[in-house]
C-alpha cells in the first residue's frame, strides 16, 4: 500500500512538472549549422533549455528524464519517396543524486529496445554541480557526425531531419499513465535542412585535453569524453572533454 502511494505521489509530481515545462519553456534554437566535409556530414546545434521550477522539483525527488537526439539523412528522389541513407541517435539520461547534491548525466548511443530506459547501455557518465550546467550539455550538438562520405552521393540532393525531444516512453510504465499522447507534454524540436552541394574543408580536430578517450562506463567531471568524431557516425564533439 505504501509503495502504491509513493508511486501516485511521484506520478502526480511528474505530470505537474512536465505540464509546467511544456506550456511555457519550449526549447529555442540558438544555433544551427550543417557542414558537408570530405570525411562526412556534420551537424551543430545549440538549444536553450529552460525548465520551470516544477520540473526541477520532479528531478530532485528522484525521477530521471530522458532526452533523445536523432538525425536522419535522406536522398531525394523525384520518381519515388525519398530514401533514408543514414540515421544516428543518442540518449541522455538526467538524474539528481541527493547524497552528493549533484546532477548525473549518462550517455547512450544505441536505442533502448523494448526495455525502456532500463534497457539503455550507457557508455559515459558525467556529474554537474548545477542543473543549468547539465542542461547546457543536453541542449548542444557540436560537429555531430551524421553520415560518412560514401553515404552522400555527389550527383544527388540530400536533406537532414533532426529532432530533440523529452522521451516519455523511456520512463517506467507507471509514470507514463496520463502522460503519453498528451500534446501539452510534447517537448520537442524538429528541423529540416538541405545538405550543401559543395564539400567544405573542416579544420583539424584539436587533441582531447586529457590525452585519452574514456572507456565504456567511465565517470568524468570535466566533460563527457568521446573518441574522435571522425571515427564513426553519431559521435559528437560537444561531448569531448574541454
Amino acid at each position: 500500500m505504501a509503495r502504491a502511494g509513493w508511486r501516485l505521489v511521484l506520478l502526480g509530481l511528474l505530470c505537474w512538472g512536465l505540464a509546467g515545462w511544456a506550456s511555457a519553456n519550449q526549447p529555442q534554437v540558438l544555433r544551427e549549422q550543417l557542414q558537408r566535409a570530405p570525411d562526412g556530414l556534420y551537424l551543430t546545434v545549440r538549444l536553450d533549455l529552460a525548465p520551470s521550477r516544477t520540473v526541477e522539483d520532479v528531478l530532485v525527488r528522484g525521477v530521471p528524464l530522458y532526452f533523445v537526439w536523432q538525425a536522419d539523412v535522406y536522398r531525394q528522389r523525384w520518381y519515388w519517396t525519398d530514401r533514408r541513407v543514414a540515421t544516428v541517435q543518442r540518449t541522455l539520461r538526467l538524474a539528481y543524486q541527493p547524497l552528493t547534491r549533484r546532477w548525473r548525466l549518462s550517455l547512450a548511443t544505441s536505442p533502448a529496445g523494448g526495455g525502456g530506459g532500463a534497457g539503455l547501455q550507457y557508455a559515459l557518465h558525467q556529474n554537474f554541480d548545477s542543473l543549468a550546467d547539465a542542461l547546457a550539455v543536453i541542449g548542444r550538438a557540436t560537429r555531430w557526425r551524421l553520415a560518412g562520405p560514401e553515404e552522400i552521393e555527389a550527383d544527388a540532393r540530400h536533406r537532414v531531419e533532426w529532432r530533440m525531444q523529452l522521451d516519455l516512453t523511456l520512463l517506467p510504465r507507471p509514470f507514463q499513465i496520463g502522460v503519453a499522447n498528451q500534446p501539452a507534454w510534447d517537448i520537442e524540436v524538429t528541423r529540416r535542412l538541405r545538405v550543401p552541394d559543395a564539400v567544405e574543408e573542416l579544420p583539424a580536430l584539436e587533441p582531447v585535453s586529457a590525452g585519452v578517450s574514456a572507456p565504456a562506463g567511465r565517470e568524468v567531471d570535466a566533460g563527457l569524453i568521446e573518441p574522435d568524431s571522425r571515427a564513426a557516425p553519431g559521435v559528437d564533439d560537444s561531448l569531448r572533454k574541454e
Side-chain angles (χ1 to χ4, degrees), residues 3 28 35 46 78 84 105-106 117 128 166 206 212 222:
R3 180 177 296 180
Q28 301 296 315
Q35 294 177 304
R46 185 160 65 91
W78 64 269
R84 184 169 60 183
L105 191 61
S106 303
F128 297 88
L166 175 63
E206 297 181 359
V212 295

Side-chain angles (χ1 to χ4, degrees), residues 18-60:
L18 292 176
W21 190 0
S23 60
N25 297 280
Q26 287 293 331
Q28 301 296 315
V29 179
L30 302 179
R31 183 187 179 191
E32 183 182 39
Q33 184 179 18
L34 187 62
Q35 294 177 304
R36 182 176 179 179
D39 59 348
L41 188 64
Y42 294 87
L43 176 67
T44 295
V45 177
R46 185 160 65 91
L47 303 176
D48 181 17
L49 298 179
S52 66
R53 179 66 183 178
T54 55
V55 172
E56 183 176 346
D57 291 340
V58 169
L59 286 165
V60 168

Side-chain angles (χ1 to χ4, degrees), residues 113-172:
L120 288 168
Q121 298 294 322
Y122 298 106
L124 299 170
H125 308 277
Q126 182 179 357
N127 297 318
F128 297 88
D129 292 328
S130 69
L131 176 59
D133 290 341
L135 291 172
V137 173
I138 293 174
R140 75 171 187 251
T142 305
R143 288 180 62 182
W144 187 21
R145 191 168 186 259
L146 309 184
E150 71 282 356
E151 296 169 304
I152 307 298
E153 300 179 26
D155 58 348
R157 289 188 175 182
H158 300 77
R159 75 174 190 276
V160 169
E161 295 182 3
W162 68 265
R163 71 173 180 270
M164 194 287 298
Q165 65 176 346
L166 175 63
D167 194 342
L168 303 179
T169 66
L170 295 178
L171 295 171

Side-chain angles (χ1 to χ4, degrees), residues 179-213:
V179 175
N181 300 322
Q182 296 296 322
W185 295 319
D186 287 340
I187 301 173
E188 180 176 350
V189 178
T190 302
R191 290 295 185 94
R192 176 182 294 187
L193 299 172
R194 178 180 173 180
V195 175
D197 295 327
V199 176
E200 177 184 356
E201 292 290 342
L202 294 179
L205 290 175
E206 297 181 359
V208 180
S209 58
V212 295
S213 298

